[in-house]
Amino acid sequence: MKKILVTGGAGFLGSHLCDRLIADGHDVLCVDNFFTGSKRNVAHLLSHANFELMRHDVTFPLYVEVDQIYNLACPASPVHYQHDPVQTTKTSVHGAINMLGLAKRVKARILQASTSEVYGDPELHPQPESYWGRVNPIGVRSCYDEGKRCAETLFFDYHRQHQMDIKVVRIFNTYGPRMHPNDGRVVSNFIVQALRNEDITIYGDGQQTRSFCYVDDLIEGFVRMMASEQGFTGPINLGNPGEFTMLELAEKVLKMVGSKSKLVFMPLPIDDPKQRQPDISLAGKNLNWSPTVALDDGLKETIAYFKEVLKE
Ligand code: NAD
Ligand code: UDP
Ligand code: UDP
């Protein structure tokens, strides 16, 4: 049994990770400032003897004693991370420095939740970890993309300079239950719109692609990466290589919900990547990991979740 810190633990991915770690018998300290996460996501864990919830902003120092750290704190939806872009950069950069400083002091293994956004709008398809990316350093997405890139830099510099035990995973679009209905990302938007029979908002012509990973697969990848042999740092891609256009996604959701919603076309957000698909051969080789949940099955679970949430 380990004492494990999860930053951003009351968010979408963080709360599923807390569930998994508690189920595996660990002691979990969940730290969150509730910017996009909520107590509700971890309410069912509050009475558990091995679970502790702390309101804290990772841009400030944190002094606790733990064996492992998963650093997930950071808004992930473009709508939310662009709301206060300076805070987004601070969260990625100051947050990484504080969590690395903490890990250094207590000699903890630390995993960073990085992102496929480090590849920007990629010219190489699918994207292997060796690709350096094509990121606009001064655009509206830069606070997130460059913040996450700088966090990766910090992780590798602490590793080289202080021999720290780091793990970096690059997450590709992941969806599932506990996404916030107002999260703003495409899967939750389309499902909520379809369930309410509201217009489905397609940005641009809907021909841009994304690859969608179900949350349970992603969490399994996290845990395997954390348990991987010392010295295997990554970065490693985690995602589902199944690639869909936003129009295909909208049509799937409409059909599965049985909705009367119509498609409406809205302007494409600035610097919106045109295509994205993970090359996951490294995760296959080093973690013996690959996703197992097909998009249709994951959407079914997610639709069932939102049906319940929207009833309230
Ligand atoms: P989310 O918005 O649900 O979760 C982020 C959590 O971090 C929230 O609970 C939020 O309140 C918390 N947080 C934000 N700023 C904080 C701060 N300064 N101090 C403490 N807590 C703070 O999003 P998510 O999808 O669960 O994303 C979790 C992590 O995974 C993020 O780091 C994100 O960048 C990364 N990621 C997610 C995806 C995805 O598709 N879900 C893809 C790539 C990367
Ligand atoms: N830090 C923290 N918790 C700790 C140890 C350090 O939050 O248990 C923070 C501290 O605020 C510091 C940062 O981590 O600014 C980086 O720590 P490091 O030891 O690398 O650098 P230094 O303290 O020398 O600036
Ligand atoms: N998108 C869309 N309608 C929406 C929300 C998003 O068409 O209501 C598009 C968005 O322009 C992007 C893709 O869906 O091309 C994925 O967007 P999301 O915000 O989920 O994540 P991203 O991968 O862009 O960070």
Side-chain angles (χ1 to χ4, degrees):
M1 170 175 159
K2 293 199 162 63
K3 205 165 170 23
I4 304 180
L5 167 62
V6 179
T7 76
F12 160 52
L13 294 180
S15 62
H16 286 278
L17 178 62
C18 289
D19 280 348
R20 169 65 188 266
L21 297 175
I22 289 283
D24 288 350
H26 298 295
D27 206 57
V28 174
L29 173 59
C30 169
V31 161
D32 207 296
N33 71 348
F34 305 119
F35 176 54
T36 50
S38 80
K39 279 188 205 158
R40 193 196 146 116
N41 285 338
V42 290
H44 59 288
L45 292 174
L46 289 176
S47 59
H48 202 289
N50 291 346
F51 183 79
E52 192 180 346
L53 175 62
M54 183 195 267
R55 180 192 288 267
H56 175 80
D57 182 325
V58 294
T59 63
F60 296 100
L62 176 66
Y63 286 81
V64 291
E65 312 304 314
V66 291
D67 306 310
Q68 288 185 344
I69 303 170
Y70 287 86
N71 188 36
L72 273 64
C74 186
S77 162
V79 184
H80 295 290
Y81 72 64
Q82 289 171 26
H83 170 75
D84 185 349
V86 173
Q87 173 66 13
T88 299
T89 300
K90 282 186 188 171
T91 293
S92 276
V93 177
H94 293 181
I97 291 173
N98 286 329
M99 291 311 106
L100 284 161
L102 166 60
K104 180 168 111 207
R105 182 179 60 80
V106 300
K107 298 187 173 50
R109 176 171 281 195
I110 178 166
L111 179 147
Q112 168 67 359
S114 191
T115 169
S116 55
E117 292 285 328
V118 300
Y119 302 124
D121 191 4
E123 307 111 316
L124 193 60
H125 195 72
Q127 294 81 53
E129 290 83 353
S130 56
Y131 178 51
W132 288 359
R134 188 165 74 113
V135 175
N136 177 355
I138 57 167
V140 294
R141 291 176 84 100
S142 312
C143 59
Y144 184 75
D145 301 8
E146 297 289 17
K148 288 284 188 179
R149 286 171 66 99
C150 184
E152 287 200 9
T153 306
L154 285 161
F155 268 70
F156 279 86
D157 281 334
Y158 270 81
H159 171 65
R160 282 183 290 256
Q161 203 172 325
H162 301 298
Q163 293 71 51
M164 282 183 51
D165 188 3
I166 62 153
K167 307 275 172 192
V168 175
V169 299
R170 291 181 177 156
I171 306 163
F172 284 66
N173 300 63
T174 301
Y175 69 98
R178 295 198 198 135
M179 293 186 92
H180 197 280
N182 299 327
D183 179 276
R185 281 176 280 184
V186 68
V187 174
S188 46
N189 269 12
F190 285 2
I191 292 177
V192 169
Q193 290 161 348
L195 286 170
R196 291 179 168 152
N197 289 310
E198 290 171 357
D199 290 344
I200 304 274
T201 52
I202 308 273
Y203 300 163
D205 60 7
Q207 293 299 337
Q208 70 273 35
T209 68
R210 293 292 185 275
S211 304
F212 297 104
C213 183
Y214 188 64
V215 58
D216 291 357
D217 282 333
L218 202 274
I219 299 301
E220 179 63 33
F222 269 5
V223 169
R224 286 193 193 204
M225 183 60 175
M226 188 57 114
S228 63
E229 66 184 82
Q230 176 116 17
F232 180 62
T233 58
I236 193 159
N237 289 339
L238 293 179
N240 190 321
E243 188 183 1
F244 299 87
T245 68
M246 295 312 101
L247 273 179
E248 284 170 334
L249 176 70
E251 270 147 26
K252 240 181 214 307
V253 169
L254 280 177
K255 200 167 148 206
M256 292 178 75
V257 171
S259 167
K260 298 192 207 50
S261 295
K262 296 192 174 43
L263 305 184
V264 294
F265 291 84
M266 320 252 293
L268 189 67
I270 297 164
D271 292 338
D272 199 274
K274 279 181 275 308
Q275 53 179 2
R276 193 181 285 152
Q277 186 193 38
D279 176 336
I280 55 165
S281 38
L282 191 63
K285 194 168 115 236
N286 284 61
L287 309 180
N288 191 24
W289 176 88
S290 64
T292 59
V293 182
L295 182 58
D296 283 41
D297 298 326
L299 285 178
K300 208 171 131 207
E301 296 293 326
T302 313
I303 290 167
Y305 169 79
F306 278 112
K307 259 189 193 157
E308 286 305 310
V309 169
L310 296 184
K311 263 189 208 156
E312 290 166 13

